Amino acid sequence: MQNKPEILAPAGDKNAFLAAIAAGADAVYLGLKHFSARMAADNFSSTELSKMVELAHKEDRKVYVAMNTLVKPGDPDSAARLIGRLQRDVGPGALIVQDLGMVEVAKQVGFKGELHLSTLANVTHPAAFKVAQELGVDRIILPRELNIDEVRQCSDACPEDMTLEMFVHGALCYCVSGRCYWSSYMGGKSGLRGRCVQPCRRVYQQKARKGRFFSCQDLSLDVLAKTLLPIENLKSWKIEGRKKGPHYVYYVTTAYKLLRDNPDDPKARKQAEQILEQALGRPSTHSTFLPQKRRSPVNPAEQTSSGRLVGKITVEPPAKAKKGERTYPKYFFKPRFELLKSDFLRIGYEDEQWHFTDRVPHPVPKNGTFVLRAPAGKRPKSGTPVFLIDRREHEMIKILKEWDGKLSRCKGKKSEAIEASLTYPAQGKRPRAVTILMRDHLPHGKQGKAGKFTDTANGIWLGERSLKTVGRTLFGRMSWWLPPVIWPNEENKWRSMIKQALRQGARHFVLGSPWQATFFEDARNIDLIAGPFCNPSNPAAIAALKKMGFKGAIISPELSQEDIMELPKQSCLPLGIVLYGYWPMGISRFPLEGVKPNEPFYSPKGECFWLRRYGQNSWIYPGWPMDIEKNKQQLLQAGYTMFVKLMEKPPAAVPEAKRTSPFNWDLTLL
């Protein structure tokens, strides 16, 4: 008998939740008003949620609550109270988290449901699963970049009593989840906090080439989902879309239920494909799912707006005005298919600032005339596309009313405040302050022989090149950095390189994710530091890192001044911070399309960027470095003891930077 994974549907509001249940979803994931990585969705209060969970349980379905944001220093106590209320009054089947602090908080308040690690937690290789399970994690949500062979590899390595989940449909981010700082670096709207403004969707230019180099099509495994059924430990097919309406949720859930339950029925497969075409998503792709047909999800020459193209605008010039009168142009289009009352339209593309939306007030037949009500200041040109982005078919409205009636009969529980207190290990003795000069290769002469963590030490990326070029006498005097992402097909290589570094005397390692601790299980007398890509940002996360064997942490560079200055008072580990350097806005595994490495490219506002290839990944950089070095004395007084300078130089073709950025130092990270 084949494995039968659950169909896990998204819900950003009540109608989307009801649509998911009506379509037969086995489980629904949704967010609260706080700690959700989709803050643009309506989300729910815990009182609303208690009724929905009651209905779901009556129908033998599950509800998972996403609390998958980066957690700031002042957040763990309020998170503890909220999780305590969920446990007492709601009883969801699981929490979905990205921050280690949330795992620690949930355990301390006695949450009895499962803990699922979001893709934002960046568990990207199989050996990491054991470390996550030891922390109390029950399920890993796999990265979207994995191919079918790597998913099988992950399943084969999955520990007993742990399950896997993967996305089968929905929006793709160009950058690896949990490794994108683009929106944050460009203005403090953090994707890790659920407030991404999607700068990757914009048009960029490199020399004479213009295009949406980083704007992805939607993932749609559609008929390929059949190949997932034999994978034993893959227990959940996840649909992305907590900002989508009930039409999308109902259609996509229905389609994947058909594909799962009728894998060998060609009629069912065809029906599912037709349903997905009506779901109002973006143009779709299988992306890199098939290793022999690895495709970029990006087509720079085409638009990637969501919705179904319904027509293009015609502008009729204003009639000649009589004296004292004003006349206006007429904006209309002839729909390519029937429009229903309450259909929701978007005029223009999502990445164009002037785009606007409009509701259809009454049915319009195919090839009829729909006159737009253009808001003040919104003047579309002839040929501007119009997209149907959500609709309310008569049958859909009827279904939602029926299920809303069932929901209204659920009593739920009125959620009231709860007390919760957290405890953390005591602070140890602070070590002497050290500055780490992080390099891609060692310089010649005295600079290449910095002392053994006295005042200044050299840091270097661990790799085949550095293992060969660094003299053995220097291994114990250096800080060895692991990359932010390790993929399944790289795991054995990294295990081997780490063993070689240890044999040659390396003792100080900065890890790119906490899960890389699995490579050091048998090592003795070493210092493991959680690097800045681990996104340490709160005392609960740092307490979890200490339990995992870390001796220190370099905090997330996203934090604001207030958060940065507060964290050492609460931390049980010595802390470090990135003072200066070119911080990558994002890291991507997808193949490049249209943009070349080591050459500058520019945003619509003329901002300069560049990228480099490192192994399987592209690192995307701003053309100006971050710099908070002037605050070093203030940071020393606050208790920081490790200061990192990223010494990487831009390619020769990139113009010299005319400014620096304090990142979010002067902002409030929402």
Side-chain angles (χ1 to χ4, degrees):
M1 183 177 179
Q2 289 203 90
N3 177 40
K4 188 176 181 180
E6 69 182 10
I7 305 296
L8 177 57
D13 60 25
K14 183 181 74 170
N15 282 335
F17 171 81
L18 296 175
I21 297 294
D26 303 289
V28 183
Y29 68 102
L30 40 74
L32 297 166
K33 299 292 184 182
H34 304 283
F35 303 112
S36 166
R38 288 291 183 273
M39 293 306 295
D42 287 349
N43 296 319
F44 305 94
S45 68
S46 51
T47 301
E48 292 173 316
L49 188 56
S50 67
K51 291 184 177 182
M52 296 160 73
V53 171
E54 182 180 329
L55 175 62
H57 288 172
K58 286 180 179 178
E59 299 294 327
D60 197 24
R61 320 290 178 85
K62 297 177 181 178
V63 174
Y64 306 149
V65 176
M67 299 184 71
N68 55 338
T69 60
L70 183 80
V71 178
K72 298 196 295 184
D75 288 342
D77 286 346
S78 57
R81 291 190 291 271
L82 185 51
I83 294 173
R85 286 163 60 189
L86 286 175
Q87 175 61 46
R88 184 190 66 188
D89 302 331
V90 178
L95 297 181
I96 303 170
V97 302
Q98 67 150 309
D99 195 301
L100 282 179
M102 284 297 201
V103 177
E104 178 71 15
V105 169
K107 288 172 65 179
Q108 286 205 31
V109 300
F111 181 72
K112 293 182 172 58
E114 292 188 348
L115 294 177
H116 297 177
L117 273 184
S118 165
T119 51
L120 290 162
N122 202 243
V123 187
T124 57
H125 59 97
F129 299 167
K130 181 182 176 184
V131 180
Q133 189 180 49
E134 288 170 353
L135 278 181
V137 172
D138 301 285
R139 177 179 289 181
I140 302 294
I141 304 171
L142 297 174
R144 293 168 172 87
E145 292 83 0
L146 300 190
N147 62 47
I148 179 65
D149 292 341
E150 291 172 326
V151 175
R152 292 188 185 110
Q153 183 183 345
C154 289
S155 177
D156 291 343
C158 191
E160 190 176 351
D161 298 327
M162 176 175 270
T163 62
L164 302 179
E165 174 180 310
M166 73 173 285
F167 285 93
V168 295
H169 196 94
L172 284 173
C173 294
Y174 186 76
C175 294
V176 178
S177 290
R179 298 293 178 263
C180 184
Y181 306 87
W182 205 329
S183 178
S184 185
Y185 197 84
M186 300 303 290
K189 300 291 182 68
S190 171
L192 297 179
R193 296 278 293 175
R195 291 179 167 84
C196 180
V197 296
Q198 298 186 323
C200 57
R201 298 282 181 194
R202 298 171 187 163
V203 175
Y204 291 86
Q205 181 168 356
Q206 188 177 66
K207 293 186 176 178
R209 300 186 301 274
K210 277 188 176 183
R212 290 172 169 82
F213 303 132
F214 313 104
S215 184
C216 292
Q217 299 168 318
D218 277 3
L219 175 68
S220 179
L221 292 189
D222 46 72
V223 296
L224 295 183
K226 174 183 175 179
T227 63
L228 299 173
L229 288 172
I231 301 178
E232 183 179 0
N233 292 306
L234 183 62
K235 299 299 184 183
S236 183
W237 291 2
K238 188 171 193 172
I239 299 164
E240 186 277 339
R242 281 197 281 145
K243 291 163 65 178
K244 299 284 191 178
H247 173 97
Y248 168 92
V249 172
Y250 187 87
Y251 273 57
V252 178
T253 301
T254 300
Y256 280 95
K257 196 164 183 287
L258 272 170
L259 291 166
R260 181 197 63 184
D261 296 345
N262 307 277
D264 299 317
D265 184 345
K267 290 184 179 179
R269 290 201 301 271
K270 185 175 181 180
Q271 184 183 0
E273 287 182 293
Q274 291 172 341
I275 291 172
L276 289 174
E277 287 177 1
Q278 304 299 317
L280 308 181
R282 293 184 177 87
S284 64
T285 176
H286 292 152
S287 189
T288 55
F289 182 72
L290 295 176
Q292 69 276 26
K293 293 183 179 179
R294 191 167 179 263
R295 296 175 180 171
S296 171
V298 170
N299 187 339
E302 293 187 4
Q303 302 285 353
T304 50
S305 277
S306 61
R308 184 181 177 190
L309 182 66
V310 64
K312 294 188 176 182
I313 297 293
T314 297
V315 181
E316 190 175 280
K320 189 174 180 180
K322 296 179 181 179
K323 188 175 181 179
E325 292 183 345
R326 294 184 65 184
T327 58
Y328 300 92
K330 179 181 178 183
Y331 303 94
F332 66 94
F333 68 93
K334 294 184 177 296
R336 301 180 180 187
F337 49 85
E338 182 185 10
L339 291 178
L340 307 178
K341 182 180 179 181
S342 296
D343 276 353
F344 197 38
L345 307 176
R346 185 185 65 249
I347 294 81
Y349 295 107
E350 291 166 296
D351 64 351
E352 295 174 323
Q353 291 187 349
W354 62 266
H355 82 265
F356 62 96
T357 56
D358 198 6
R359 284 278 182 194
V360 177
H362 52 75
V364 181
K366 179 181 177 180
N367 294 323
T369 299
F370 181 85
V371 179
L372 284 171
R373 297 162 291 183
K378 308 284 188 178
R379 296 292 179 259
K381 299 176 182 178
S382 287
T384 297
V386 179
F387 297 93
L388 174 65
I389 58 174
D390 195 17
R391 76 181 333 178
R392 301 287 191 272
E393 302 96 326
H394 176 74
E395 189 61 28
M396 170 73 72
I397 294 172
K398 182 180 177 182
I399 290 170
L400 293 180
K401 281 184 177 179
E402 289 175 1
W403 282 95
D404 196 26
K406 294 181 181 181
L407 181 63
S408 67
R409 292 191 286 275
C410 294
K411 296 180 180 179
K413 290 184 179 180
K414 185 178 180 181
S415 189
E416 297 179 353
I418 191 171
E419 292 297 320
S421 59
L422 301 172
T423 59
Y424 307 118
Q427 293 185 16
K429 184 179 178 181
R430 287 177 182 165
R432 184 174 177 175
V434 61
T435 298
I436 298 175
L437 304 177
M438 186 59 199
R439 308 177 187 273
D440 60 352
H441 66 278
L442 282 185
H444 297 293
K446 192 174 180 180
Q447 280 189 328
K449 299 179 181 179
K452 188 178 180 180
F453 295 95
T454 50
D455 297 316
T456 304
N458 279 319
I460 197 166
W461 293 105
L462 178 61
E464 293 173 344
R465 178 187 171 193
S466 57
L467 286 172
K468 291 177 182 177
T469 57
V470 174
R472 186 159 185 167
T473 57
L474 295 177
F475 266 71
R477 301 164 68 181
M478 311 221 3
S479 177
W480 293 88
W481 287 50
L482 272 63
V485 188
I486 292 176
W487 299 109
N489 62 359
E490 301 176 303
E491 198 173 70
N492 290 336
K493 180 186 78 171
W494 279 102
R495 194 184 298 276
S496 175
M497 288 194 296
I498 289 165
K499 284 183 178 179
Q500 183 180 342
L502 289 167
R503 283 196 305 268
Q504 294 186 207
R507 290 293 175 263
H508 189 274
F509 293 88
V510 178
L511 307 194
S513 84
W515 323 112
Q516 293 168 2
T518 188
F519 297 125
F520 298 88
E521 286 180 323
D522 300 324
R524 298 289 181 267
N525 301 317
I526 62 169
D527 291 335
L528 290 186
I529 307 298
F533 289 104
C534 296
N535 298 316
S537 59
N538 62 81
I542 294 167
L545 289 169
K546 184 170 185 176
K547 289 180 182 179
M548 295 171 70
F550 286 88
K551 301 292 182 62
I554 301 170
I555 69 165
S556 168
E558 281 202 89
L559 295 178
S560 66
Q561 176 183 353
E562 180 182 358
D563 297 324
I564 290 170
M565 301 306 288
E566 182 66 23
L567 193 50
K569 302 173 189 175
Q570 308 171 6
S571 175
C572 59
L573 288 177
L575 296 183
I577 189 168
V578 178
L579 279 184
Y580 174 87
Y582 285 90
W583 180 261
M585 297 185 306
I587 295 167
S588 177
R589 195 190 193 190
F590 291 135
L592 293 175
E593 287 288 346
V595 63
K596 293 182 178 180
N598 303 316
E599 292 184 8
F601 61 91
Y602 296 87
S603 75
K605 294 182 178 180
E607 300 149 323
C608 178
F609 305 92
W610 50 283
L611 66 83
R612 273 192 175 133
R613 291 287 296 174
Y614 290 110
Q616 299 180 30
N617 302 318
S618 298
W619 292 45
I620 305 166
Y621 291 92
W624 61 101
M626 67 167 291
D627 186 0
I628 57 170
E629 196 166 3
K630 67 179 182 181
N631 304 300
K632 183 176 179 181
Q633 193 59 40
Q634 186 180 353
L635 292 163
L636 274 166
Q637 292 174 353
Y640 287 90
T641 58
M642 284 178 285
F643 299 95
V644 179
K645 294 185 181 180
L646 304 173
M647 310 301 288
E648 182 166 3
K649 294 181 179 179
V654 174
E656 184 177 351
K658 296 181 180 179
R659 61 178 172 123
T660 61
S661 169
F663 210 156
N664 291 327
W665 178 271
D666 297 324
L667 302 176
T668 299
L669 190 66
L670 298 176

